[in-house]
Amino acid sequence: MPSPFRHTTPPPPKSATGVTEAVYAQLAEDFGIERAVTFVVLSSAPEIMAAAWALMRESLIAGDGDRTGKELAALGASQANRCPFCVDAHTMLLHATGDHSLAEAMVRGETPADERHARVLAWGRASRTPGAAELTPYPFPVGHAPAYIGTVLSFHFINRIVSSLLTENLLPGNIQRFRAVRSLAGRSVARTVRRRPPAGAGLILLDDPGPGPDWAQGTTVGPAYAALRDAATAGAGLLDEGDRNLVRETLQTWDGTHPPLSWGALPDRSRPGARLALLAALAPYRITDEDVRAWRKPNHTDHCLVHLVAYGAFAAVDRIESALPVRTVKETS
């Protein structure tokens, strides 16, 4: 069977120990997929794997709000990021929630018939664009904002990891294009998806994270976000100061658009680290074998590559998060 992995060879899940083994156990219990490749691909860097899982768990799975709405928000972000793997995954998870007609409407590219669903999907799509008008007002209760915001930020990160380091096919042979397969795959995890586990288990995997941003104050989403920020930004150490400045300055002015093919600001392969980080941030689907080979050195392991890609991916997440219009329950009371 062809490998779903690009550019890295993750450790076999059966050999996992410590925090990696604990992540797989939580994936099986709370996500319904013990060895989801979206997390296996991060297992060369367990600290990133654990934090990425914790943020997704505490927001999408255990956070406030209905699962269908959060799946639509994640689907919208995945569409905006041009991540077909994640688009297909969220379509199947909509089947798992029991919203079969909604899932198939998404496959056909239709607008959801339910106005609230349509607004949530549009909000998720708009989240890629800093300051987009569609981000206000919230299409969900203000009290659910930490979970919805955490969900879309989680998938802005995961979309970039997936597009950088996995193939586009969610299932072998791309068989998820058949409705019967989508429905069956959704039904196989329906029992897990339709229950809401207690919040907080993801934080057990983390090493004393901070409280996180104000929009997630008082929730388990905040520490999970803080842990992912800390783990991902550690990859900055793989770049020199000039390359870090280039990544930071490029992201400061990014407006959410996808870069053109003739992207003048993208350095050539004589600056391979900066090139990979910027591609991971803004156009991860354009990372090639040649880009990775130009950067690889004998001391650049898979652990290093995961860290560099995560650094670029989170640079985009940080730009998106910093521009989000945030409202709190206190402000509306």
Side-chain angles (χ1 to χ4, degrees):
M1 184 180 297
S3 171
F5 304 108
R6 301 195 308 142
H7 313 309
T8 71
T9 304
K14 288 184 179 180
S15 70
T17 59
V19 69
T20 304
E21 184 180 24
V23 170
Y24 288 137
Q26 287 196 9
L27 279 166
E29 178 70 19
D30 295 332
F31 192 49
I33 307 172
E34 181 180 4
R35 298 168 184 174
V37 292
T38 45
F39 295 97
V40 175
V41 75
L42 293 171
S43 62
S44 297
E47 61 279 19
I48 294 177
M49 178 193 191
W53 160 247
L55 180 57
M56 191 185 86
R57 184 198 184 278
E58 300 305 317
S59 56
L60 174 69
I61 298 172
D64 292 329
D66 71 277
R67 183 67 179 265
T68 295
K70 288 181 287 184
E71 288 293 345
L72 282 169
L75 174 62
S78 301
Q79 290 174 337
N81 290 324
R82 301 178 183 174
C83 182
F85 181 105
C86 292
V87 168
D88 287 343
H90 292 297
T91 301
M92 291 201 305
L93 287 167
L94 283 172
H95 273 291
T97 68
D99 289 286
H100 304 293
S101 61
L102 175 61
E104 290 306 303
M106 297 301 92
V107 173
R108 296 189 296 271
E110 298 173 1
T111 299
D114 183 286
E115 182 181 356
R116 188 184 70 86
H117 287 162
R119 291 177 58 219
V120 170
L121 180 66
W123 180 85
R125 286 175 182 157
S127 64
R128 179 180 166 98
T129 304
E134 295 90 340
L135 295 174
T136 53
Y138 290 153
F140 42 76
V142 173
H144 296 171
Y148 274 88
I149 292 173
T151 294
V152 295
L153 294 177
S154 172
F155 282 95
H156 278 298
F157 182 77
I158 290 171
N159 292 161
R160 287 164 170 81
I161 296 297
V162 166
S163 294
S164 297
L165 301 177
L166 293 177
T167 65
E168 290 188 356
N169 293 349
L170 177 65
L171 296 176
N174 215 20
I175 59 172
Q176 73 278 355
R177 67 183 183 276
F178 297 112
R179 175 171 182 161
V181 173
R182 292 192 295 271
S183 178
L184 180 62
R187 292 174 194 276
S188 71
V189 294
R191 180 174 297 181
T192 303
V193 168
R194 295 180 196 182
R195 68 178 178 82
R196 183 173 151 194
L203 303 189
I204 298 171
L205 307 171
L206 308 178
D207 185 16
D208 193 26
D214 288 345
W215 52 262
Q217 190 174 41
T219 72
T220 56
V221 175
Y225 183 85
L228 181 57
R229 178 187 60 212
D230 292 347
T233 55
L238 292 163
L239 302 179
D240 62 29
E241 184 177 0
D243 285 350
R244 289 194 297 270
N245 287 338
L246 176 61
V247 172
R248 183 176 62 253
E249 291 165 4
T250 302
L251 269 295
Q252 281 176 347
T253 58
W254 177 56
D255 62 0
T257 56
H258 288 265
L261 290 177
S262 56
W263 181 11
L266 181 68
D268 62 26
R269 295 190 182 104
S270 67
R271 297 177 69 182
R275 180 181 177 91
L276 277 175
L278 283 173
L279 284 170
L282 304 184
Y285 42 81
R286 286 168 53 180
I287 292 177
T288 65
D289 291 341
E290 290 76 14
D291 293 323
V292 175
R293 279 198 294 267
W295 175 78
R296 283 278 199 183
K297 296 179 181 178
N299 63 326
H300 283 162
T301 62
D302 284 355
H303 174 87
C304 297
L305 181 58
V306 169
H307 265 280
L308 182 59
V309 169
Y311 167 71
F314 200 84
V317 174
D318 185 58
R319 166 71 172 130
I320 291 166
E321 188 270 343
S322 67
L324 281 174
V326 174
R327 296 172 63 216
T328 66
V329 174
K330 288 182 180 179
E331 292 172 340
T332 60
S333 60

